[in-house]
Amino acid sequence: MTLLMKSLRIFANQCRNCTTKSTPSIEFTASTVNIDGRKFSRDKWTNVTPNILKHLNRNLHLKPGHPLCLLRENIISFMYKSFPNRAGNPIFSIYDRLDPIVTTKKNFDSLLIPDDHPSRKPSDCYYLNKDFILRGHTSAHQEELIASGLDSFVVMGDVYRRDEIDASHFPVFHQAEGVRLFAKHQIFDDEKQSAELFEDGKRTPLKQEYHTEITSKKLQHDLKTCLTKLVHHLFGTDVETRWTETYFPFTHPSFELEVKFQDKWLELLGCGVIEQQILYNAGVPDKVGWAFGLGLERIAMRLYEIPDIRLFWSNDTGFLSQFEGATPDKKIKYKAVSQYPQCFNDVSFWLPEGGINPSDLYEIVRGVGGDIVEQVRLVDEFVHPKNKKRSQCYRIIYRHMERTLNQAEVNEVHKRIEGQLTSELGVTIR
Ligand code: DAH
């Protein structure tokens, strides 16, 4: 298969997971699990549940205005800006719609994860059957993308791991995976052309047996520089960071980057020099490279001060409206949403000549309603065909932090708001 055909196949694969479809069709029969028309035969490995499968098409990372989507856009903008080619175009390509149902080969074998590795245990992941799994990490796509001819890419998407559920654990979360490959001339600048990428040497804590020491050093340096810059881009240059050494089956040497938050070191990402065997298997023996993987929720929780990982799955407009319309670089500090139900009332009026300034309206609504006003949004607008007067309708969403509001008290506040809008802004309530 040509490189172009391989890339097109991956591109086509990307589009299959349509972003607009929210609930997958799921059916469990005695012998199969059927998901959106695809049939997976059941065997003794099958441990997916309808409850976990219903997260499949949520695609929070692609949902405009969702904090995970803002973070995705922020990381993409960093990668695009930091790595231009000579013509000024980004060298990294982004794959954020790849199907989360992958073969166990991709999820484990392609990454040299040994047969007895704990991450393969059915108690740790969600198998459709012996051959298919809900990906446990975005690394699952490394080998196929490398084999398709790509040198620099980022994969983002939902990953699935059986885990307890609490404020910081949820069985579905999101990761970003970055890979960058280098040919010899990209590692050694002109004066070092005599240096070698490869040797038939020994594996040491500093390098793989295939790499010369200088190759490994250069890769580690480039990797650490990129990730330190990314963390500074996200959290500001004041944030304290440290590197620790670790083990992953797919990289050597391997590292974790930790960041200090409120006096505690938090592990933010894993990374390392890609095992050369993976590149051999992918058909690119003449290149070397680095890879990293990071959890989006972990970062977004610190960035936006979101205290509970379960909130990302919330459909509550009290949560979502805090991020709506924001740009990826906007500083947002999440404010707790009440657990009590919302109540809403609409206010419709004719505008005075010359219109009104919406910020004056927000001011009045918040001034009168105080803390029980959670959201104010323009829901309708039209011009009368005859007299050309403009009408607007705002929806005011009320919610109390400590108790359930009753409609009568909301109506009373709402009436006062209407009164002030009339007297101060000159609108005519309809
Ligand atoms: N896949 C790893 C995980 O989910 C994260 C990771 C570590 C990805 C190191 C990488 C890497 O690409 O090089 O825990």
Side-chain angles (χ1 to χ4, degrees):
M1 198 183 319
T2 65
L3 275 188
L4 177 66
M5 277 164 72
K6 281 188 194 166
S7 309
L8 285 176
R9 200 187 58 193
I10 285 166
F11 186 68
N13 221 4
Q14 274 233 114
C15 300
R16 191 166 69 200
N17 194 357
C18 173
T19 54
T20 51
K21 197 171 59 177
S22 60
T23 10
S25 87
I26 299 162
E27 190 194 4
F28 279 71
T29 72
S31 59
T32 61
V33 180
N34 307 339
I35 305 167
D36 283 339
R38 280 189 290 167
K39 272 194 166 77
F40 298 91
S41 53
R42 291 169 78 152
D43 59 23
K44 68 175 197 304
W45 291 82
T46 311
N47 67 354
V48 291
T49 60
N51 191 38
I52 204 76
L53 290 175
K54 74 173 190 249
H55 294 88
L56 270 178
N57 295 343
R58 282 289 294 277
N59 285 324
L60 300 181
H61 64 297
L62 300 174
K63 197 174 158 170
H66 192 280
L68 295 175
C69 182
L70 293 174
L71 177 56
R72 177 185 63 92
E73 291 168 342
N74 202 353
I75 294 173
I76 293 175
S77 101
F78 168 82
M79 296 306 280
Y80 279 178
K81 220 175 40 209
S82 309
F83 298 98
N85 64 14
R86 284 207 200 119
N89 297 318
I91 62 168
F92 273 86
S93 45
I94 311 295
Y95 291 82
D96 48 17
R97 284 141 220 248
L98 293 174
D99 193 345
I101 300 177
V102 298
T103 59
T104 46
K105 272 205 167 66
K106 282 188 189 173
N107 200 68
F108 303 119
D109 304 55
S110 78
L111 293 156
L112 317 176
I113 296 176
D115 283 347
D116 58 355
H117 196 270
S119 67
R120 291 188 185 245
K121 282 199 308 225
S123 59
D124 283 31
C125 42
Y126 290 103
Y127 284 93
L128 287 147
N129 56 35
K130 185 171 133 308
D131 299 321
F132 288 92
I133 191 168
L134 301 182
R135 68 183 163 211
H137 51 180
T138 42
S139 311
H141 301 284
Q142 259 192 33
E143 199 212 29
E144 64 173 320
L145 293 175
I146 293 172
S148 79
L150 294 170
D151 279 344
S152 311
F153 57 86
V154 175
V155 179
M156 303 208 199
D158 37 340
V159 300
Y160 299 75
R161 289 194 202 164
R162 290 182 75 178
D163 213 338
E164 68 223 65
I165 299 185
D166 62 26
S168 44
H169 298 92
F170 198 75
V172 192
F173 59 101
H174 296 76
Q175 285 189 329
E177 177 89 10
V179 166
R180 184 162 190 204
L181 303 186
F182 301 82
K184 184 176 170 185
H185 71 276
Q186 295 167 304
I187 291 273
F188 303 117
D189 26 33
D190 298 338
E191 85 275 11
K192 276 275 178 61
Q193 274 311 322
S194 59
E196 291 298 335
L197 276 187
F198 300 109
E199 69 176 18
D200 187 8
K202 269 213 164 65
R203 176 169 290 240
T204 72
L206 297 178
K207 68 172 204 74
Q208 297 171 31
E209 55 274 46
Y210 311 102
H211 297 153
T212 58
E213 209 168 298
I214 178 85
T215 302
S216 193
K217 249 196 198 145
K218 290 229 178 209
L219 286 170
Q220 291 172 47
H221 177 75
D222 194 77
L223 168 65
K224 288 182 173 176
T225 310
C226 165
L227 293 173
T228 309
K229 280 193 191 151
L230 171 62
V231 166
H232 285 166
H233 169 79
L234 295 172
F235 292 106
T237 44
D238 290 344
V239 75
E240 244 187 284
T241 57
R242 75 175 182 197
W243 290 99
T244 57
E245 278 169 33
T246 185
Y247 166 79
F248 297 110
F250 29 93
T251 46
H252 182 74
S254 306
F255 308 96
E256 274 167 357
L257 178 55
E258 298 183 338
V259 173
K260 204 173 207 178
F261 287 107
Q262 294 161 347
D263 283 340
K264 281 205 197 99
W265 288 105
L266 176 85
E267 173 206 316
L268 218 55
L269 59 87
C271 65
V273 176
I274 299 176
E275 281 288 351
Q276 200 59 31
Q277 189 63 48
I278 295 178
L279 299 181
Y280 287 145
N281 296 346
V284 277
D286 52 340
K287 291 187 181 164
V288 293
W290 53 243
F292 68 82
L294 52 84
L296 294 186
E297 276 83 349
R298 244 176 197 218
I299 296 180
M301 285 171 84
R302 302 309 175 299
L303 218 47
Y304 302 121
E305 299 185 33
I306 296 171
D308 192 315
I309 196 166
R310 291 165 286 201
L311 282 165
F312 290 105
W313 297 93
S314 168
N315 281 318
D316 190 313
T317 59
F319 174 76
L320 295 170
S321 66
Q322 298 190 33
F323 303 93
E324 212 173 79
T327 51
D329 55 348
K330 185 164 177 220
K331 298 249 173 304
I332 299 171
K333 182 177 167 349
Y334 167 72
K335 284 186 237 60
V337 173
S338 165
Q339 53 181 318
Y340 296 94
Q342 296 173 329
C343 242
F344 70 83
N345 272 10
D346 291 345
V347 50
S348 302
F349 47 74
W350 297 110
L351 291 171
E353 235 165 84
I356 60 166
N357 185 339
S359 58
D360 292 337
L361 175 132
Y362 297 136
E363 191 74 21
I364 289 173
V365 175
R366 296 204 189 279
V368 178
D371 285 348
I372 67 164
V373 173
E374 186 185 82
Q375 301 163 54
V376 187
R377 50 175 75 216
L378 181 64
V379 287
D380 190 31
E381 203 167 17
F382 73 91
V383 179
H384 191 283
K386 290 230 173 79
N387 64 20
K388 301 288 180 238
K389 274 192 174 173
R390 273 173 64 213
S391 163
Q392 284 187 329
C393 174
Y394 284 83
R395 175 156 300 169
I396 305 178
I397 298 176
Y398 299 89
R399 175 143 69 173
H400 201 288
M401 290 302 287
E402 279 124 32
R403 63 184 173 82
T404 301
L405 288 170
N406 67 51
Q407 194 62 48
E409 63 183 321
V410 167
N411 290 349
E412 199 268 319
V413 175
H414 199 75
K415 267 247 128 20
R416 279 196 282 131
I417 291 176
E418 288 182 339
Q420 279 212 18
L421 291 176
T422 307
S423 61
E424 291 185 26
L425 299 186
V427 305
T428 312
I429 304 292
R430 300 177 46 214

